Amino acid sequence: MTNKNIVHVVGTGTIGEPLIGLFNTFKDAWGVDEVTFHKRTPSSEDRAKVNQLISHGARLATDDDSRDEFAKLGHRVSYTAEEAIERATVVVDCTPAGNENKAKYYDGARNGPRGFLAQGSEFGFGKPYARGINDEVFTPDEKFVQVVSCNTHNISVLLKTLGCAKGGDLRIDFGQFVCMRRANDVSDRKDFIASPEAGKHDDPEFGTHHARDAFHLFQTLGKKLHIFSSAIKLNTQYMHTLWFDIQLGFDTKLEEVKTALRSNPRVAVTGRRSANQIFSFGRDHGYFGRIFSQTVIPLSTLAMPNPRKVVGFCYTPQDGNSLLSSVAATLRYLDENKLEERIDVLRPYIFREI
């Protein structure tokens, strides 16, 4: 590792590409000297994207055996995959192979980077993390960190906000969630579906990985929650939708619930109930089209059948919440004392109302 602060992003997909762009744009404000990124597969379709990232200052790393193919496409290859990892201060893996890459590359590079991050469902990669949920237990001594998925962020911010609505300690008796997932990102041309497709309950205790990961996220705080999630994929490209039924450990009123949600700076409330309108707001006013809030809640969908039961719908802002947590975790590795000051540049994109 050099004396420079170098952020290395692995993957150029729906999380990797905007993350590279963010670190390029704000590298001076964030104390980043260099941004590098790894792309596995050379593709003429991705030539413009890769050249844009390079032209904005990022440096390309490839596997050694594909270096010539990238060069034939006109790309400037600066490093091999191994060189880029060894030089990096922080490695952010944005691929669905984080655990595989950990065994192949990262475990052998422990003397190089200060930290390694993986995304989404890469359970077991390291300590689970979400910005604003368990910051107090995340220290730069933690070498491997799993930034939980966007839907897990949404579940977790609901649990923490509503479970602490009366102040004091988190009090949740039970939480049930249905994740109605978009079929694919607007940038994807594959995996779209013609009709809703129900998901499996792969985990007998938690249903799907969303509740399982939220459970382990809160377990880092010493909390053991009784929660369960289901998933269904919908034929839309806009946003994930989340239905929730949360049983609180105390009596409250609907207006107090709404006040708690409005008071959380990472929660966006809205009078809109259509995903396309909320998605469009992010496209027009967000950064790289992203909403960095952890959830968007149409307040009119909330109901309380009894003083301890809160039911409603909310939207998961694509992968914006995961991007924010990835930035926060990286900045903590670079300089923990300057995290809050440096991340301020993104606050205009963490909306309070949509």
XYZ file of all heavy atoms in Angstrom, residues 239-306:
546
model
N -38.783 0.951 -8.343
C -38.254 0.861 -6.995
C -38.790 -0.399 -6.324
O -39.809 -0.959 -6.735
C -38.686 2.089 -6.162
C -38.354 3.422 -6.777
S -38.999 4.811 -5.819
C -37.781 4.890 -4.511
N -38.090 -0.841 -5.284
C -38.624 -1.888 -4.421
C -39.718 -1.285 -3.538
O -39.603 -0.151 -3.080
C -37.537 -2.458 -3.513
C -36.349 -2.999 -4.242
N -36.435 -3.978 -5.208
C -35.025 -2.702 -4.128
C -35.224 -4.261 -5.656
N -34.358 -3.495 -5.017
N -40.758 -2.058 -3.289
C -41.830 -1.660 -2.381
C -41.789 -2.580 -1.165
O -41.553 -3.786 -1.305
C -43.202 -1.776 -3.073
O -43.194 -1.030 -4.289
C -44.311 -1.257 -2.175
N -42.010 -2.015 0.003
C -41.962 -2.808 1.235
C -43.272 -2.635 1.995
O -43.700 -1.512 2.255
C -40.788 -2.348 2.096
C -40.489 -3.171 3.355
C -39.887 -4.519 2.974
C -39.523 -2.423 4.264
N -43.919 -3.745 2.322
C -45.075 -3.726 3.234
C -44.591 -4.204 4.590
O -43.813 -5.159 4.684
C -46.178 -4.652 2.728
C -47.357 -4.725 3.655
C -48.425 -3.876 3.719
C -47.582 -5.714 4.677
N -49.304 -4.263 4.705
C -48.805 -5.382 5.309
C -46.869 -6.823 5.115
C -49.329 -6.142 6.348
C -47.384 -7.575 6.170
C -48.605 -7.242 6.764
N -45.028 -3.518 5.649
C -44.549 -3.884 6.977
C -45.688 -3.941 7.987
O -46.686 -3.231 7.881
C -43.463 -2.909 7.451
C -43.882 -1.464 7.506
C -44.425 -0.912 8.667
C -43.725 -0.639 6.392
C -44.796 0.423 8.719
C -44.099 0.697 6.437
C -44.640 1.239 7.596
N -45.498 -4.807 8.957
C -46.409 -4.972 10.089
C -45.503 -5.100 11.313
O -44.871 -6.140 11.530
C -47.257 -6.229 9.899
C -48.189 -6.511 11.080
O -48.043 -5.854 12.128
O -49.040 -7.403 10.949
N -45.421 -4.030 12.107
C -44.499 -3.991 13.235
C -45.272 -3.903 14.540
O -46.102 -3.005 14.731
C -43.529 -2.794 13.106
C -42.670 -2.954 11.848
C -42.636 -2.677 14.340
C -41.749 -1.780 11.572
N -44.993 -4.863 15.424
C -45.607 -4.890 16.747
C -44.633 -4.233 17.731
O -43.541 -4.752 17.979
C -45.882 -6.330 17.183
C -46.770 -7.115 16.229
C -48.247 -6.837 16.464
O -48.618 -6.215 17.457
N -49.091 -7.307 15.558
N -45.033 -3.106 18.274
C -44.179 -2.354 19.188
C -44.282 -2.897 20.614
O -45.266 -3.561 20.963
C -44.575 -0.878 19.174
C -44.535 -0.179 17.805
C -45.090 1.233 17.929
C -43.124 -0.155 17.263
N -43.285 -2.573 21.421
C -43.285 -2.994 22.813
C -43.865 -1.947 23.738
O -43.634 -1.990 24.953
N -44.661 -1.030 23.182
C -45.261 0.052 23.977
C -46.468 0.595 23.223
O -46.590 0.410 22.013
C -44.248 1.175 24.222
C -43.591 1.684 22.956
C -44.167 2.704 22.208
C -42.407 1.113 22.512
C -43.569 3.166 21.038
C -41.804 1.566 21.334
C -42.386 2.593 20.599
N -47.350 1.290 23.933
C -48.504 1.928 23.306
C -48.093 3.267 22.707
O -47.271 3.995 23.267
C -49.605 2.172 24.337
C -50.263 0.881 24.792
O -49.924 -0.189 24.231
O -51.103 0.932 25.710
N -48.670 3.579 21.567
C -48.417 4.879 20.955
C -49.617 5.245 20.085
O -50.610 4.519 20.019
C -47.116 4.865 20.126
O -46.806 6.193 19.697
C -47.237 3.966 18.911
N -49.524 6.379 19.417
C -50.594 6.855 18.544
C -50.036 7.104 17.150
O -48.830 7.289 16.976
C -51.198 8.143 19.108
C -51.832 7.985 20.486
C -52.335 9.323 21.011
C -52.957 9.168 22.394
N -53.414 10.475 22.945
N -50.932 7.140 16.180
C -50.508 7.302 14.788
C -49.748 8.605 14.591
O -48.737 8.634 13.877
C -51.729 7.249 13.867
C -51.431 7.298 12.357
C -50.500 6.171 11.946
C -52.738 7.239 11.556
N -50.186 9.675 15.204
C -49.489 10.958 15.034
C -48.089 10.913 15.636
O -47.173 11.540 15.130
C -50.306 12.098 15.651
C -51.444 12.584 14.774
C -51.000 12.922 13.347
O -49.991 13.645 13.198
O -51.646 12.456 12.400
N -47.922 10.164 16.713
C -46.594 10.016 17.308
C -45.679 9.205 16.389
O -44.475 9.483 16.287
C -46.707 9.349 18.680
C -47.384 10.231 19.725
C -47.599 9.514 21.042
O -47.866 8.294 21.021
O -47.515 10.172 22.094
N -46.234 8.216 15.719
C -45.476 7.435 14.739
C -45.024 8.336 13.591
O -43.860 8.311 13.176
C -46.322 6.259 14.212
C -45.692 5.643 12.969
C -46.493 5.203 15.300
N -45.936 9.141 13.078
C -45.603 10.046 11.980
C -44.543 11.066 12.410
O -43.636 11.403 11.633
C -46.859 10.765 11.487
C -47.850 9.853 10.776
C -49.075 10.628 10.302
C -50.051 9.721 9.569
N -51.262 10.460 9.104
N -44.650 11.552 13.626
C -43.661 12.509 14.143
C -42.279 11.872 14.216
O -41.271 12.484 13.851
C -44.078 13.019 15.536
O -45.307 13.734 15.416
C -43.013 13.946 16.114
N -42.227 10.618 14.678
C -40.941 9.915 14.756
C -40.327 9.746 13.377
O -39.111 9.920 13.190
C -41.133 8.554 15.424
N -41.138 9.425 12.389
C -40.638 9.251 11.026
C -40.158 10.584 10.448
O -39.094 10.652 9.808
C -41.726 8.646 10.142
C -42.115 7.198 10.479
C -43.382 6.800 9.754
C -40.978 6.243 10.133
N -40.936 11.640 10.659
C -40.522 12.960 10.159
C -39.241 13.437 10.832
O -38.474 14.196 10.230
C -41.634 13.987 10.408
C -42.880 13.816 9.550
C -43.765 15.045 9.678
N -45.052 14.874 9.017
C -46.182 14.567 9.659
N -46.169 14.387 10.979
N -47.312 14.443 8.996
N -39.003 13.011 12.064
C -37.857 13.495 12.831
C -36.556 12.793 12.466
O -35.478 13.279 12.815
C -38.121 13.320 14.333
O -39.255 14.066 14.735
N -36.643 11.654 11.813
C -35.430 10.928 11.431
C -34.871 11.522 10.139
O -35.528 11.477 9.097
C -35.729 9.440 11.234
C -34.465 8.615 11.049
O -33.458 9.084 10.526
N -34.513 7.377 11.479
N -33.661 12.079 10.154
C -33.121 12.728 8.957
C -32.829 11.769 7.806
O -32.595 12.214 6.688
C -31.822 13.371 9.469
C -31.459 12.603 10.688
C -32.750 12.178 11.305
N -32.869 10.474 8.066
C -32.603 9.504 7.001
C -33.892 8.900 6.443
O -33.848 7.988 5.628
C -31.662 8.400 7.502
C -30.292 8.956 7.872
C -29.321 7.876 8.315
N -28.067 8.512 8.695
C -27.776 8.937 9.918
N -28.673 8.792 10.874
N -26.618 9.511 10.188
N -35.024 9.409 6.900
C -36.333 8.970 6.407
C -36.940 10.089 5.572
O -37.002 11.238 6.016
C -37.273 8.612 7.571
C -38.700 8.373 7.062
C -36.758 7.380 8.311
N -37.372 9.763 4.362
C -38.098 10.720 3.526
C -39.585 10.394 3.603
O -39.977 9.236 3.410
C -37.616 10.651 2.081
N -40.403 11.393 3.908
C -41.851 11.194 3.902
C -42.411 11.819 2.625
O -41.782 12.672 2.000
C -42.511 11.821 5.145
C -41.975 11.160 6.410
C -42.290 13.321 5.194
N -43.580 11.366 2.243
C -44.157 11.869 1.001
C -45.673 11.756 1.032
O -46.237 10.922 1.742
C -43.606 11.083 -0.216
O -44.126 11.632 -1.432
C -43.984 9.610 -0.143
N -46.318 12.623 0.244
C -47.753 12.528 0.027
C -48.067 11.725 -1.220
O -49.235 11.492 -1.543
N -47.023 11.301 -1.929
C -47.200 10.527 -3.161
C -47.242 9.037 -2.843
O -46.547 8.565 -1.960
C -46.050 10.820 -4.124
C -45.964 12.290 -4.523
C -44.701 12.585 -5.294
N -44.691 13.965 -5.779
C -43.677 14.521 -6.434
N -42.587 13.815 -6.673
N -43.753 15.771 -6.843
N -48.047 8.315 -3.617
C -48.140 6.868 -3.405
C -47.696 6.071 -4.620
O -47.667 4.839 -4.567
C -49.576 6.486 -3.012
C -49.944 6.934 -1.603
C -51.323 6.482 -1.167
N -52.390 7.201 -1.893
C -53.252 6.626 -2.715
N -53.173 5.322 -2.940
N -54.169 7.333 -3.325
N -47.342 6.747 -5.708
C -46.941 6.064 -6.935
C -45.416 6.003 -7.043
O -44.736 7.028 -6.927
C -47.501 6.784 -8.164
O -48.914 6.759 -8.155
N -44.903 4.791 -7.274
C -43.450 4.611 -7.344
C -42.835 5.412 -8.477
O -41.717 5.923 -8.346
C -43.124 3.123 -7.512
N -43.552 5.543 -9.590
C -42.958 6.263 -10.728
C -42.737 7.736 -10.402
O -41.745 8.339 -10.830
C -43.818 6.109 -11.984
C -45.177 6.762 -11.854
O -45.850 6.588 -10.836
N -45.596 7.506 -12.868
N -43.626 8.336 -9.603
C -43.451 9.739 -9.226
C -42.258 9.918 -8.289
O -41.496 10.878 -8.396
C -44.717 10.261 -8.554
C -45.903 10.414 -9.491
C -47.101 11.002 -8.778
O -47.491 10.540 -7.700
N -47.682 12.032 -9.359
N -42.101 8.988 -7.356
C -40.980 9.063 -6.419
C -39.667 8.794 -7.151
O -38.665 9.480 -6.947
C -41.188 8.063 -5.265
C -42.444 8.456 -4.479
C -39.966 8.009 -4.353
C -42.914 7.411 -3.503
N -39.667 7.799 -8.022
C -38.490 7.496 -8.823
C -38.097 8.702 -9.677
O -36.917 9.049 -9.802
C -38.777 6.287 -9.721
C -37.625 5.856 -10.574
C -36.698 4.931 -10.094
C -37.466 6.354 -11.857
C -35.633 4.527 -10.889
C -36.402 5.958 -12.657
C -35.486 5.033 -12.168
N -39.095 9.345 -10.259
C -38.832 10.520 -11.094
C -38.238 11.663 -10.293
O -37.371 12.398 -10.772
C -40.132 10.972 -11.777
O -39.909 12.091 -12.599
N -38.681 11.825 -9.049
C -38.104 12.847 -8.170
C -36.613 12.587 -7.975
O -35.791 13.511 -8.018
C -38.831 12.835 -6.827
C -38.366 13.915 -5.876
C -39.036 15.127 -5.797
C -37.271 13.717 -5.050
C -38.616 16.130 -4.917
C -36.837 14.703 -4.166
C -37.512 15.912 -4.112
N -36.271 11.326 -7.735
C -34.862 10.984 -7.586
C -34.077 11.240 -8.859
O -32.938 11.734 -8.810
N -34.655 10.918 -9.996
C -33.995 11.165 -11.282
C -33.735 12.650 -11.494
O -32.674 13.043 -11.988
C -34.877 10.623 -12.412
C -34.317 10.845 -13.814
C -35.351 10.484 -14.860
N -36.565 11.305 -14.727
C -37.636 11.161 -15.477
N -37.685 10.203 -16.391
N -38.697 11.951 -15.308
N -34.688 13.489 -11.077
C -34.570 14.928 -11.317
C -33.731 15.645 -10.269
O -33.053 16.628 -10.577
C -35.971 15.565 -11.358
C -36.790 15.084 -12.539
O -36.191 14.602 -13.524
O -38.032 15.171 -12.471
N -33.785 15.185 -9.016
C -33.166 15.935 -7.920
C -32.074 15.171 -7.175
O -31.355 15.767 -6.377
C -34.241 16.365 -6.911
C -35.335 17.185 -7.525
N -35.158 18.488 -7.928
C -36.619 16.855 -7.834
C -36.289 18.948 -8.444
N -37.194 17.979 -8.393
N -31.970 13.881 -7.394
C -30.968 13.089 -6.693
C -29.600 13.196 -7.346
O -29.425 13.849 -8.379
N -28.627 12.539 -6.722
C -27.275 12.528 -7.277
C -27.097 11.229 -8.052
O -27.313 10.150 -7.522
C -26.224 12.636 -6.167
C -24.850 12.929 -6.720
C -24.484 14.225 -7.039
C -23.951 11.911 -6.972
C -23.245 14.509 -7.576
C -22.708 12.177 -7.505
C -22.356 13.475 -7.805
O -21.131 13.741 -8.357
N -26.712 11.327 -9.319
C -26.706 10.175 -10.218
C -28.090 9.521 -10.228
O -28.230 8.312 -10.368
C -25.651 9.137 -9.802
C -24.252 9.471 -10.246
C -23.432 10.255 -9.460
C -23.754 9.007 -11.453
C -22.147 10.572 -9.853
C -22.473 9.315 -11.863
C -21.663 10.101 -11.070
N -29.133 10.340 -10.056
C -30.497 9.835 -10.041
C -30.873 9.113 -8.775
O -31.972 8.564 -8.681
N -29.973 9.102 -7.777
C -30.224 8.331 -6.559
C -30.780 9.193 -5.437
O -30.403 10.346 -5.270
C -28.925 7.687 -6.062
C -28.711 6.248 -6.503
C -28.420 6.143 -7.964
N -28.063 4.772 -8.342
C -27.621 4.463 -9.545
N -27.486 5.387 -10.460
N -27.321 3.209 -9.836
N -31.669 8.572 -4.673
C -32.154 9.129 -3.420
C -31.349 8.454 -2.316
O -31.363 7.220 -2.195
C -33.659 8.843 -3.234
C -34.475 9.544 -4.327
C -34.127 9.280 -1.853
C -35.934 9.076 -4.399
N -30.620 9.226 -1.512
C -29.754 8.641 -0.496
C -30.471 8.425 0.844
O -29.860 7.935 1.794
C -28.516 9.516 -0.277
C -27.524 9.447 -1.419
C -26.598 10.455 -1.616
C -27.517 8.376 -2.288
C -25.682 10.392 -2.656
C -26.614 8.292 -3.340
C -25.693 9.305 -3.530
N -31.753 8.782 0.927
C -32.543 8.458 2.121
C -32.649 6.934 2.232
O -32.567 6.217 1.229
C -33.935 9.063 2.019
O -33.865 10.431 1.654
N -32.861 6.445 3.444
C -32.915 4.995 3.618
C -34.280 4.406 3.287
O -34.388 3.221 2.988
C -32.499 4.628 5.052
C -31.012 4.858 5.283
C -30.554 4.346 6.628
O -31.340 4.205 7.554
N -29.276 4.086 6.750
N -35.311 5.230 3.340
C -36.648 4.782 2.967
C -37.475 5.998 2.576
O -37.163 7.131 2.964
C -37.332 4.029 4.126
O -38.586 3.501 3.678
C -37.578 4.931 5.323
N -38.517 5.753 1.786
C -39.479 6.792 1.427
C -40.863 6.283 1.843
O -41.319 5.245 1.343
C -39.464 7.104 -0.078
C -40.458 8.213 -0.394
C -38.061 7.475 -0.549
N -41.505 7.000 2.760
C -42.772 6.523 3.338
C -43.937 7.425 2.954
O -43.973 8.602 3.338
C -42.672 6.446 4.871
C -41.567 5.480 5.285
C -44.004 6.023 5.472
C -41.493 5.227 6.773
N -44.901 6.901 2.194
C -46.159 7.642 1.982
C -46.973 7.605 3.278
O -47.492 6.553 3.654
C -46.854 6.867 0.859
C -45.814 5.922 0.302
C -44.877 5.642 1.432
N -47.060 8.723 3.954
C -47.676 8.747 5.272
C -49.141 8.307 5.246
O -49.652 7.774 6.234
C -47.558 10.143 5.878
C -46.130 10.598 6.233
C -46.153 12.027 6.765
C -45.496 9.661 7.261
N -49.799 8.501 4.105
C -51.224 8.143 4.025
C -51.446 6.634 4.054
O -52.584 6.176 4.229
C -51.843 8.729 2.759
O -51.217 8.199 1.602
N -50.390 5.833 3.875
C -50.554 4.375 3.895
C -50.443 3.798 5.301
O -50.687 2.605 5.507
C -49.495 3.678 3.012
O -48.199 3.806 3.621
C -49.478 4.270 1.616
N -50.070 4.620 6.283
C -49.885 4.118 7.642
C -51.221 3.875 8.335
O -52.174 4.641 8.171
C -49.066 5.108 8.465
C -47.625 5.362 8.007
C -46.988 6.455 8.862
C -46.800 4.085 8.074
N -51.279 2.814 9.117
C -52.479 2.506 9.903
C -52.060 1.850 11.206
O -51.003 1.210 11.282
C -53.415 1.583 9.127
N -52.894 2.017 12.244
C -52.639 1.392 13.535
C -53.907 0.688 14.003
O -54.782 1.300 14.626
C -52.183 2.433 14.563
C -50.792 2.977 14.286
S -50.115 3.887 15.698
C -49.937 2.562 16.918
N -54.054 -0.616 13.721
C -55.235 -1.365 14.165
C -55.372 -1.422 15.679
O -56.469 -1.601 16.195
C -54.994 -2.769 13.588
C -54.025 -2.560 12.462
C -53.155 -1.413 12.880
N -54.257 -1.311 16.374
C -54.291 -1.206 17.835
C -53.103 -0.356 18.266
O -52.228 -0.050 17.450
C -54.304 -2.598 18.501
C -53.026 -3.379 18.262
O -51.938 -2.938 18.630
N -53.155 -4.562 17.658
